[in-house]
Amino acid sequence: MKLARKFIVALILGVTLVLGAYAWLTVVGEVAAFEADMRRDQHLLGRVLAAAVSALWSIEGETRALALVRDANEAESELAIRWVWLDAPPGDAHAPRIDRKVLDPVAGGTELSYVVRGGGGGDGFLATYIPVAVVGPRARTGRVGALEVAESLRAEEHYLRWTEMRVGVTTVVMAGLCALLTIVLGVYFVGQPMRRLREKARLVGLGDLGGPLDLRQRDEVGELATEMNAMCERLAEANTRLASETAARLAALEQLRHAERLTTVGKLASGIAHELGTPLNVVAGRAKMIAVGDVAGDEARDNARIVVEQSERMTKIIRQLLDFARRRGPQKSAHDLVQIVQQTLTLLAPLAGKRRVTTRVESPADGAPVMGQVDVGQLQQVLTNLIVNGIHAMPGGGTLSLGVRRERARPPAGYAGPGAAAEAPAAGEWLRVSVRDEGVGIPPENVAHVFEPFFTTKGVGEGTGLGLSVAYGIVQEHGGWIAVDSEVGKGSCFSVYLPAEAPAVREAA
């Protein structure tokens, strides 16, 4: 239930309860006042008549006194006046209308008023009993008499029903007016402002911080709207500042990656220079032979063809190096990871050969492409860093194995990719690119720190400590992570996990 509706219902219930209690107290008070008037009238009439009956009884006897009682009864239209003997048996003409036990105080000389409510179809009545002292020579001895002055409660019931109707109508009208006033005020001062506040909060949640909320109320709701406007202004300023800082951070991160890429390029320069030396010597020798005329005819054409082939070979090597070193933004698209691994190994073949390291690629047995949505340049930078680290980890040479396959895996703790909002991301199908070396391995105390910036175990001039940190950031941006498995003296395995392509995407690719 909404706040305005709760407020309105609570006020209506409160007003109804108060008016209902007032109506009940009013009816009870009216009944008590009506019966008090009846008792007072019966008391006054009974006292006067009792004095007259007592005096007449003592002078002229019982018959004349009872005749006076009958005359008084006939003269009254609303009251029933009788002479009663307190010891008269039920059914006697002078027996009381109520139980004899109730009249014990009257026998002791005390006036008594008693109410009998209607039941079984009969009318209720209020009876007052005034004891009368019977004295004189003609009085009966040993009997106690009293005047019974009774009045029907029918008039009281009519008055009570009229009072209940009057109070009920008044209560309903007042409750209705209060409810109407409460609804109008609740909707105007609570309902509409809260609705506008709710809409504003929804817009803020969607990122729309524009358009201040103007309620024009000088109360708590208005103060809340003012604070919300101030909060939106502060959030807008924070967003602007955050956007600027994020842009600067991204620019710095891209510069860091580019610097790390150029560092790797510098490491590759010597190996590529050696790789270019052989084709350059071939080109120079064959071109010289053609120039001085040592060859002619078909042999000259063969030498020219060899020059062209070697030139294309050098051009390809230089183009790969330039593509790797060139700075550009991320461009993800569907690519075969096996081809990317093979291209990266081609670029690093001179460095591996110089270190007496043999490389091999373990592709899927069925030969099917392993497609993934990646940025080729960034993934090559990750693989280059892992391969170079693996080559450096084998100073005496060895075998560096690269594998590409699909497998089920569960993201580790601290995973920040898709589904990271869950407490425990479910296992699923991932693309795994592994780089395994036969080197010295990583001590257990260092495994947890290998992805920290500037952490390195290499000698001075061999590493900046940023390569693995940059690589991990690139993989995270691709929605994956890097796992490390290492044993001292037996080598290390770095596994890059990337999101798997959906079947439809793979078929399209």
Side-chain angles (χ1 to χ4, degrees):
M1 184 180 291
K2 296 183 178 180
L3 178 60
R5 194 174 302 168
K6 292 180 181 179
F7 176 71
I8 293 171
V9 171
L11 284 181
I12 292 176
L13 289 177
V15 170
T16 302
L17 290 176
V18 171
L19 292 177
Y22 169 75
W24 181 78
L25 293 176
T26 300
V27 171
V28 172
E30 292 289 343
V31 171
F34 194 90
E35 291 183 355
D37 289 340
M38 293 173 63
R39 287 189 178 94
R40 184 170 57 253
D41 293 342
Q42 292 178 5
H43 168 74
L44 294 176
L45 178 60
R47 283 297 180 184
V48 173
L49 186 59
V53 169
S54 179
L56 188 60
W57 198 304
S58 64
I59 297 173
E60 299 185 12
E62 177 181 351
T63 302
R64 186 70 185 89
L66 295 181
L68 177 61
V69 174
R70 288 193 296 272
D71 292 341
N73 180 56
E74 293 174 357
E76 288 290 337
S77 59
E78 300 292 337
L79 300 176
I81 304 174
R82 297 173 57 235
W83 175 265
V84 296
W85 294 107
L86 301 184
D87 57 354
D92 188 87
H94 296 289
R97 300 176 66 177
I98 63 176
D99 189 0
R100 171 66 180 79
K101 296 179 181 180
V102 180
L103 298 177
D104 287 342
V106 180
T110 302
E111 180 180 330
L112 174 67
S113 292
Y114 193 79
V115 178
V116 179
R117 299 295 176 185
D123 294 334
F125 62 89
L126 172 63
T128 301
Y129 293 88
I130 301 97
V132 179
V134 180
V135 295
R138 299 185 181 183
R140 301 182 186 183
T141 59
R143 302 192 74 181
V144 179
L147 283 176
E148 180 188 79
V149 183
E151 183 176 358
S152 174
L153 295 179
R154 186 178 299 142
E156 178 188 285
E157 292 174 357
H158 285 297
Y159 178 75
L160 179 60
R161 284 195 293 271
W162 181 83
T163 302
E164 290 176 347
M165 181 180 66
R166 174 176 57 84
V167 174
V169 171
T170 303
T171 301
V172 171
V173 172
M174 293 183 65
L177 291 176
C178 291
L180 180 61
L181 183 61
T182 302
I183 291 174
V184 173
L185 295 179
V187 170
Y188 183 76
F189 287 108
V190 179
Q192 292 182 355
M194 294 305 295
R195 177 180 56 81
R196 295 181 62 186
L197 285 171
R198 185 176 63 253
E199 293 175 354
K200 180 64 176 177
R202 184 181 296 112
L203 291 176
V204 172
L206 295 175
D208 184 4
L209 303 177
L213 181 61
D214 184 13
L215 293 183
R216 298 181 181 179
Q217 290 185 215
R218 305 301 180 186
D219 53 16
E220 289 80 359
V221 179
E223 293 177 358
L224 179 60
T226 302
E227 291 299 325
M228 183 172 288
N229 291 333
M231 178 191 68
C232 290
E233 293 177 358
R234 291 192 293 268
L235 285 176
E237 295 175 357
N239 283 346
T240 303
R241 185 168 57 253
L242 179 61
S244 176
E245 294 176 355
T246 301
R249 187 177 296 110
L250 291 176
L253 180 61
E254 184 59 29
Q255 292 177 357
L256 176 63
R257 291 178 179 175
H258 186 62
E260 178 63 24
R261 188 181 298 116
L262 293 180
T263 301
T264 305
V265 170
K267 295 178 181 178
L268 300 177
S270 59
I272 291 179
H274 175 74
E275 183 72 12
L276 293 177
T278 300
L280 280 175
N281 290 332
V282 173
V283 169
R286 300 288 178 170
K288 185 176 180 180
M289 292 173 63
I290 296 173
V292 298
D294 289 343
V295 293
D298 293 339
E299 190 176 358
R301 284 193 295 271
D302 290 339
N303 285 336
R305 178 180 52 79
I306 293 173
V307 169
V308 172
E309 290 176 353
Q310 296 300 319
S311 298
E312 291 176 349
R313 177 184 175 187
M314 291 185 292
T315 301
K316 183 178 179 181
I317 294 174
I318 295 173
R319 182 180 294 112
Q320 289 179 341
L321 183 62
L322 291 177
D323 288 341
F324 180 79
R326 185 176 293 114
R327 179 177 178 179
R328 58 187 178 87
Q331 298 175 353
K332 295 181 182 180
S333 58
H335 291 278
D336 185 0
L337 301 186
V338 177
Q339 293 183 359
I340 297 176
V341 170
Q342 291 174 344
Q343 292 172 0
T344 307
L345 280 179
T346 300
L347 184 64
L348 296 173
L351 180 62
K354 185 177 179 180
R355 295 272 186 154
R356 300 188 304 280
V357 173
T358 303
T359 61
R360 67 179 180 180
V361 178
E362 300 172 355
S363 58
D366 56 3
V370 182
M371 306 301 295
Q373 284 284 343
V374 297
D375 181 284
V376 177
Q378 290 186 348
L379 184 57
Q380 279 189 330
Q381 182 176 357
V382 173
L383 294 176
T384 299
N385 190 280
L386 297 179
I387 294 172
V388 170
N389 286 349
I391 293 173
H392 286 169
M394 296 183 288
T399 301
L400 186 70
S401 303
L402 283 84
V404 181
R405 65 179 179 179
R406 293 177 177 272
E407 70 174 38
R408 292 188 61 82
R410 184 186 300 275
Y415 169 66
E423 295 183 0
E429 186 177 8
W430 295 83
L431 305 180
R432 179 190 175 190
V433 181
S434 60
V435 179
R436 181 183 301 275
D437 63 64
E438 299 174 346
V440 296
I442 304 174
E445 63 273 13
N446 292 338
V447 172
H449 304 285
V450 293
F451 296 113
E452 295 179 1
F454 304 107
F455 178 84
T456 181
T457 58
K458 298 178 182 179
V460 178
E462 293 186 0
T464 62
L466 293 173
L468 289 177
S469 176
V470 171
Y472 200 94
I474 292 175
V475 175
Q476 274 190 323
E477 289 183 357
H478 280 72
W481 73 95
I482 302 178
V484 184
D485 183 17
S486 182
E487 186 175 353
V488 176
K490 294 186 177 181
S492 305
C493 180
F494 285 78
S495 300
V496 177
Y497 288 91
L498 299 171
E501 288 273 330
V505 176
R506 293 202 304 269
E507 292 174 4

